[in-house]
Amino acid sequence: MYGRILKIYPGSLAEELELVPGDKLLEINGTRLRDIIDVSFAFADEEIEMLVEHEDGQQEVYEFDKDYDEELGVEFESAVFDGIRHCANNCLFCFVDQVAPDMRESLNIKDDDYRMSFLYGNFITMTNMVDADFQRIKQYHLSPLFVSVQCTNPDLRQRLLRCRTAGNLAAQLDKLEAADVEYHTQIVLCRDLNDGEELERSLRDIVARQPHALSIAIVPVGLTRFRQDCYPLKSFDKESAARVVEQVEAYQRQQREKDGRTFIYLADEFYLLAGRELPPAEYYDGFPQLDNGIGLARNFMEEFAVAASEDDGNIAFDVQENQAKQADNASEADKKTQVKQENQAKLRLAVVSGTSISPLMAELAESISGAGEQVTMVPVPNHHFGTTVNVSGLLTAKDMLAALQDVAGKVDGILIPESALRTGDNVFLDDVSLSDFCARLPCRVETVGSGREYFHALTDWENYSGVGDTAASYMWQSNAAYTKRGGM
């Protein structure tokens, strides 16, 4: 086992030691390294003896002193050195089993690794964990974790996950709590299986596990046209989604009356399907499961509103009204503003998104004076995965290009969801690069990942650059039953 170095940070201890990309970190103070968790804890010592193997196979020992909080300053090729632990389940609703052929390779990885849960917030079922794993979690106090509960009925959980150890959930949660480890939970809701009375039971059981249980996220099962499992799963419709909303809202009210926190959160899809208004921002308690598709739409709206409130009022699409007010004694700055407004008013933009969130994107655009007339919404049917998949994060370049065919030549710019691209790689799910995508369109294309970015793209297109927002909400609608992260 080793950690292969991918990158050396300038000015770091690693650079001072003359380490280079390709070097393999084998041991620190005699500890064999399984992952970056081992590296972090071993490197906390102030006296370090480090065994490194260079690309030519030669091994070298580095001995040095360091400050307690000084880091090595490298990026590894992988967070886990002994390989990501794969899922032991055969879930009825597994999205990986529904991925189309010839898609991005990472979509076919069935990971269920507690280390990735601690490091990156990936949800785990714990069905492949043994006592040694729980001991390590306790030793390093790996908290919080993210646990896929699905249901608390042992027999039903075994049937849903199709794994004989799936019924051990209660005992495993007891072990986490005995180690004083906190955890967020998720329920992938399958219509007529773990909803209704079973959902009631699961909510009661998890609520009773506070304070170690930090939250419950409920997301709808995602079904694609590539699903071949013979079990007849059904998607939620308006009526069934409304029942879930009403059922959960009763528990939410109880929780808020009890301690002022909602604790139980529904994915945006339930509200959108049911035609219900999204809860206010305070109901999300700081958005603890934002990456899981919980509150993405509301958070996006809040970001948009904040950006609008911060705007000084000089940017507006309603040019004529502003010109009338300032025509007599306009300063040089006013004249520049008017020119900017005139240029913006002449622009026509197309906004690409999944079909579920497109009405909200249109509503936000219309909230800016005159913007609704300048913006064309392009809700993209997902022909690749199937039209029941309506989130932006699972759109392919091919489907977006098809939807833009009759629009692209009539607009000056196109906004696409940042979440449809692989993070940091600018590649779509169907392995089309962003540069190739842009080359097929006759106008400028920019990405949007947050409400703040969306506002500035609509109001200041000339100076807008969709370079990505590190605090982006990736709204544009994610379905956590499909993927850990999505957006727009």
Side-chain angles (χ1 to χ4, degrees):
M1 292 181 289
Y2 56 82
R4 184 189 295 273
I5 296 175
L6 179 67
K7 180 179 180 181
I8 305 291
Y9 293 115
S12 66
L13 182 56
E15 184 179 64
E16 183 181 335
L17 294 171
E18 299 184 349
L19 298 178
V20 298
D23 284 343
K24 301 172 184 177
L25 186 56
L26 305 179
E27 294 181 4
I28 296 177
N29 291 347
T31 298
R32 299 293 292 185
L33 306 171
R34 292 163 287 185
D35 45 49
I36 62 174
I37 298 173
D38 276 342
V39 173
S40 179
F41 279 89
F43 212 73
D45 289 340
E46 295 179 347
E47 296 180 358
I48 300 294
E49 182 181 281
M50 189 168 68
L51 179 61
V52 174
E53 182 176 298
H54 301 297
E55 283 198 293
D56 61 5
Q58 181 180 354
Q59 294 187 357
E60 184 174 357
V61 175
Y62 293 80
E63 296 185 41
F64 54 90
D65 295 335
K66 55 176 281 294
D67 294 334
Y68 172 78
D69 58 353
E70 187 175 8
E71 298 180 350
L72 183 58
V74 303
E75 181 180 326
F76 294 100
E77 286 186 348
S78 174
V80 292
F81 307 156
D82 56 354
I84 292 178
R85 188 174 299 184
H86 291 280
C87 182
N89 311 317
N90 184 25
C91 298
L92 293 176
F93 50 83
C94 180
F95 179 74
V96 177
D97 290 340
Q98 305 178 63
V99 171
D102 303 320
M103 294 294 284
R104 184 188 303 164
E105 186 177 349
S106 60
L107 290 176
N108 294 303
I109 298 176
K110 287 188 178 183
D111 70 286
D112 198 7
D113 196 316
Y114 72 91
R115 299 168 297 180
M116 302 297 283
S117 181
F118 170 69
L119 292 168
Y120 303 116
N122 293 7
F123 280 89
I124 54 173
T125 64
M126 302 194 294
T127 57
N128 60 5
M129 290 174 59
V130 296
D131 286 342
D133 298 323
F134 288 97
Q135 291 169 6
R136 188 173 186 233
I137 289 171
K138 180 179 181 179
Q139 176 188 0
Y140 288 157
H141 192 64
L142 304 183
S143 178
L145 297 178
F146 294 76
V147 179
S148 278
V149 169
Q150 322 312 15
C151 68
T152 56
N153 179 335
D155 293 334
L156 178 58
R157 193 168 191 260
Q158 281 185 325
R159 295 201 302 273
L160 284 174
L161 273 59
R162 291 192 285 206
C163 178
R164 62 182 180 82
T165 61
N168 300 333
L169 176 68
Q172 292 174 322
L173 293 178
D174 288 344
K175 290 181 180 179
L176 295 183
E177 293 170 14
D180 197 26
V181 170
E182 297 175 320
Y183 52 87
H184 295 276
T185 65
Q186 171 185 259
I187 295 173
V188 176
L189 206 61
C190 300
R191 189 175 165 189
D192 300 332
L193 280 175
N194 60 341
D195 58 351
E197 292 183 4
E198 289 294 345
L199 179 58
E200 294 271 353
R201 173 176 175 169
S202 298
L203 294 179
R204 287 196 305 268
D205 290 346
I206 302 172
V207 164
R209 288 185 172 274
Q210 296 180 87
H212 288 95
L214 299 176
S215 67
I216 304 172
I218 305 171
V219 300
V221 64
L223 305 176
T224 83
R225 68 184 180 93
F226 296 99
R227 187 173 186 272
Q228 297 179 347
D229 196 296
C230 61
Y231 193 91
L233 288 176
K234 295 185 290 185
S235 298
F236 284 90
D237 55 17
K238 182 173 183 178
E239 183 180 348
S240 56
R243 286 198 300 269
V244 173
V245 172
E246 291 169 3
Q247 181 181 19
V248 171
E249 280 181 341
Y251 275 89
Q252 290 175 329
R253 286 192 294 269
Q254 292 175 15
Q255 284 298 116
R256 291 193 69 83
E257 290 172 2
K258 178 183 175 182
D259 59 14
R261 292 181 61 246
T262 306
F263 184 74
I264 305 166
Y265 312 100
L266 281 171
D268 299 342
E269 291 93 327
F270 284 111
Y271 299 105
L272 296 172
L273 272 174
R276 302 291 184 89
E277 186 176 347
L278 294 164
E282 57 265 26
Y283 257 64
Y284 291 100
D285 305 319
F287 301 94
Q289 292 215 35
L290 191 64
D291 282 351
N292 197 20
I294 304 300
L296 285 172
R298 174 56 68 187
N299 188 61
F300 192 94
M301 294 166 68
E302 291 294 305
E303 292 174 334
F304 188 94
V306 169
S309 68
E310 291 173 350
D311 181 56
D312 61 10
N314 289 329
I315 300 173
F317 282 97
D318 196 351
V319 179
Q320 292 181 347
E321 180 180 347
N322 286 340
Q323 286 178 333
K325 291 179 180 179
Q326 301 177 16
D328 292 337
N329 299 307
S331 65
E332 193 65 31
D334 292 332
K335 292 177 181 178
K336 290 180 180 179
T337 296
Q338 290 174 7
V339 171
K340 185 177 183 180
Q341 292 169 340
E342 290 169 356
N343 291 337
Q344 187 74 32
K346 295 174 185 177
L347 288 169
R348 295 193 65 85
L349 302 178
V351 178
V352 176
S353 73
T355 55
S356 64
I357 208 64
S358 186
L360 178 57
M361 304 299 290
E363 181 181 331
L364 291 175
E366 290 167 2
S367 71
I368 303 173
S369 177
E373 300 173 3
Q374 305 296 329
V375 175
T376 299
M377 292 296 151
V378 185
V380 181
N382 198 323
H383 297 296
H384 190 92
F385 283 104
T387 53
T388 57
V389 179
N390 53 22
V391 300
S392 300
L394 288 174
L395 291 176
T396 62
K398 181 179 179 181
D399 279 342
M400 284 191 278
L401 288 168
L404 285 165
Q405 188 172 6
D406 297 329
V407 178
K410 304 174 183 177
V411 296
D412 303 290
I414 298 171
L415 291 172
I416 64 171
E418 184 178 289
S419 61
L421 295 163
R422 182 166 55 205
T423 303
D425 217 4
N426 286 343
V427 176
F428 293 94
L429 288 171
D430 48 355
D431 270 343
V432 175
S433 70
L434 179 59
S435 58
D436 286 344
F437 178 88
C438 295
R440 301 181 197 183
L441 295 166
C443 60
R444 177 179 155 201
V445 178
E446 296 287 353
T447 62
V448 168
S450 72
R452 179 180 293 275
E453 289 181 357
Y454 187 45
F455 176 82
H456 289 302
L458 295 181
T459 57
D460 193 14
W461 176 253
E462 181 181 352
N463 297 304
Y464 176 75
S465 176
V467 294
D469 184 344
T470 55
S473 67
Y474 297 92
M475 195 273 289
W476 308 57
Q477 193 49 30
S478 165
N479 184 335
Y482 301 135
T483 180
K484 184 69 177 71
R485 192 158 194 164
M488 197 156 144

